[in-house]
Amino acid sequence: MSSKLSQKMGLGAGGMIGGRVALKLDPQALRRLTTGRRVALVTGTNGKTTSTMMLSRAVTALGEVATNHSGANMPDGHVTALSKQPDAPYAVLEVDEGYFPAVAAAAQPDVVVLLNLSRDQLDRVGEVRTIERSLRDTISRLRGCTVIANCDDIMVTSAAKDAHRVVWVATGTGWHHDSASCPRCGEPIRWQGEHWQCSTCDLARPKPDWVTTDGFLIAPNASKVALSLRLPGKFNQANAVMATAAAAALGVQIEEAVRRLRGVSNVAGRYRTIQRSGHTARLLLSKNPAGWSETLTVVKESDHPAVLVINANEADGRDLSWLWDVPFERLRGRTVIASGERATDLAVRLTYAEVEHKIVPDPLLAIDALPQGAVEVIANYTAFRDLNARSAGE
C-alpha cells in the first residue's frame, strides 16, 4: 500500500517506502523474508545493478527469483522486493557496500558476488579501505557461503581472502588507482604483467577459476563460451562472467546461464537510446572515477559527440574532487558539451584536460545543440535519473 501511494503521489517508484514501513513494524523482516530461500547478494562499487539483473536472469533457469535489480539496494528495498514475491525460492539482491554487513547477517546468503572496490562519494560512502575492512570481517564470519570474487581487484581479494569458500574470477580490471598499497599491511603493491603481490605480506593475486577474455569466458572445466552480449564494454563482459560463476554455484548450467544473459539489453535505463530532434542519444550512467574511466573506454570506440552531465546532490555526493581523477583527456578532439547542475565545475576540469567544450546546463538542450546524428550522453546518478524521467515523459 505504501509503495503504491508513493507512486501515485509522484514521490518515487515505491521501491523503498513499503520496506521502510515494514522494518519499522518488524525489525526482523529481512531475516524472516529470506529464511527458506537460497539467497545471492551482489555488492561492490560499480556494476551492481547490471550484475544483479544478469544473475537473476540466469537463476530463473532454476525457478522464480525475487530481486531488486531496479537499484533499491538498502534493507528497505530488499524487504519490498522480497514481499512482492513471497513464494520465490531464490532471491538475488543488490546490496549497497555500506549495508552489506547488516544484510549478510540477516540473510545468511548461499552466494556473495564481490565485484570491485574503488573510491566512491567520500562524503556519503567513506574511504574505500574502511569499506574493505568491513566486508572482510563480515565475509570471514559467513558459513556455508560461496564468495565469487574478482582476483584482479586488490581490495576485493583482501576482502575475500579469509572466506571459507572462494571462487576467483579474472576480470581484467583496469582501475588500480585506489590500491597502490596493500590494504592489509600498507606496503607497496608490485605488478608483473597481470600478476600482483604485496611487497611484504602474503596478499597476492590468486589463481583464477574463471577467466574473462575478449568476448568469451573460460570456465573451471577449461571450456570456452562466447558471451555475445548486447551490452557494451569489457566491464559488462566481466559482470557477465561474475554472474555466470555465481549462477553456476547455485546449480545453473554454464551454457544456459550465458544464453539468458544475452537477452539483457537495458538495465534500469542504462544503455537505452532516445530519439530527439534528429538525434539518437545513448544514455550511459557513471558515478565515480573507475566507472567514468570504463565508460570513456566504451565511447572511445566511436567519434560521436558527447554530452557529459554532472550533478552534486546528496545521492551523488556533494564533493566533486573526484572529477580530477577521471581521464577526460581521452575526449580530446571530440565535440563535447558540459551539462548538468554542476556544468561549470566540469568545464574547469575539461579545460585542464585540454578538451574543447561548450556549456549547456540543460542536458536535453545540450543534445539539441549538437549536429543531428548519434550522441553519447554520460551522466552521474541523479543527472541520469532525471534525464531518464524527462526523456520518457516527452
Side-chain angles (χ1 to χ4, degrees), residues 79 82 104 107 221 247 254 272 274 287 298 305 309 323 337 342:
V79 168
L82 293 166
N221 62 5
I254 295 172
R272 81 180 181 99
I274 60 172
K287 298 179 288 186
V298 170
V309 196
L323 289 173
I337 294 181
R342 302 299 289 271

Side-chain angles (χ1 to χ4, degrees), residues 72-366:
N73 59 14
M74 300 176 189
D76 33 18
H78 302 145
V79 168
T80 298
L82 293 166
S83 299
K84 289 179 177 178
Q85 294 175 278
D87 298 323
Y90 297 90
V92 176
L93 302 175
E94 172 187 342
V95 186
D96 179 273
E97 308 94 286
Y99 286 87
F100 180 82
V103 174
Q108 290 297 302
D110 296 272
V111 173
V112 166
V113 181
L114 194 49
L115 297 167
N116 47 66
L117 289 172
S118 65
R119 177 187 175 187
D120 208 0
Q121 298 93 359
L122 290 176
D123 57 331
R124 190 176 67 85
V125 177
E127 211 277 333
V128 63
R129 289 169 185 262
T130 302
I131 297 295
E132 184 276 324
R133 285 192 293 271
S134 174
L135 296 183
R136 186 199 314 175
D137 291 344
T138 301
I139 288 170
S140 68
R141 293 194 295 269
L142 293 175
R143 297 294 185 270
C145 178
T146 299
V147 178
I148 312 299
N150 177 1
C151 68
D152 289 325
D153 187 299
I154 293 164
M155 293 289 178
V156 163
T157 301
S158 178
K161 185 174 183 289
D162 301 328
H164 290 264
R165 172 168 166 70
V166 189
V167 174
W168 298 106
V169 180
T171 64
T173 299
W175 182 266
H176 306 295
H177 298 274
D178 299 298
S179 50
S181 62
C182 177
R184 296 201 166 208
C185 71
E187 295 301 312
I189 295 292
R190 293 177 178 169
W191 287 84
Q192 185 173 9
E194 64 183 12
H195 184 76
W196 58 266
Q197 64 181 43
C198 175
S199 57
T200 301
C201 74
D202 65 350
L203 187 67
R205 182 182 190 262
K207 181 180 179 181
D209 302 291
W210 297 71
V211 177
T212 310
T213 64
D214 190 13
F216 294 85
L217 68 76
I218 300 175
N221 62 5
S223 63
K224 188 174 183 179
V225 180
L227 294 171
S228 304
L229 302 179
R230 297 174 67 184
L231 297 180
K234 291 184 178 180
F235 58 93
N236 277 320
Q237 294 180 23
N239 290 338
V241 179
M242 295 287 285
T244 302
L250 288 168
V252 182
Q253 294 295 314
I254 295 172
E255 291 77 7
E256 179 62 18
V258 173
R259 185 185 70 79
R260 290 170 182 262
L261 301 191
R262 291 173 183 149
V264 178
S265 60
N266 185 338
V267 183
R270 296 161 172 84
Y271 316 109
R272 81 180 181 99
T273 58
I274 60 172
Q275 302 296 324
R276 178 181 173 85
S277 59
H279 300 87
T280 299
R282 179 168 61 164
L283 308 184
L284 302 166
L285 172 66
S286 293
K287 298 179 288 186
N288 47 51
W292 275 84
S293 179
E294 294 289 353
T295 301
L296 291 176
T297 299
V298 170
V299 303
K300 192 176 181 181
E301 297 172 1
S302 67
D303 59 355
H304 301 150
V307 175
L308 313 181
V309 196
I310 296 294
N311 287 354
N313 297 308
E314 183 177 0
D316 307 299
R318 307 284 187 185
D319 174 18
L320 285 179
S321 62
W322 61 268
L323 289 173
W324 295 88
D325 295 328
V326 177
F328 288 112
E329 289 79 4
R330 297 178 188 173
L331 295 173
R332 289 173 184 167
R334 186 189 296 252
T335 302
V336 173
I337 294 181
S339 189
E341 296 171 1
R342 302 299 289 271
T344 304
D345 297 81
L346 174 59
V348 172
R349 172 67 184 99
L350 292 174
T351 298
Y352 276 87
E354 299 179 357
V355 176
E356 294 187 14
H357 60 277
K358 296 179 180 178
I359 299 176
V360 182
D362 186 310
L364 291 180
L365 296 181

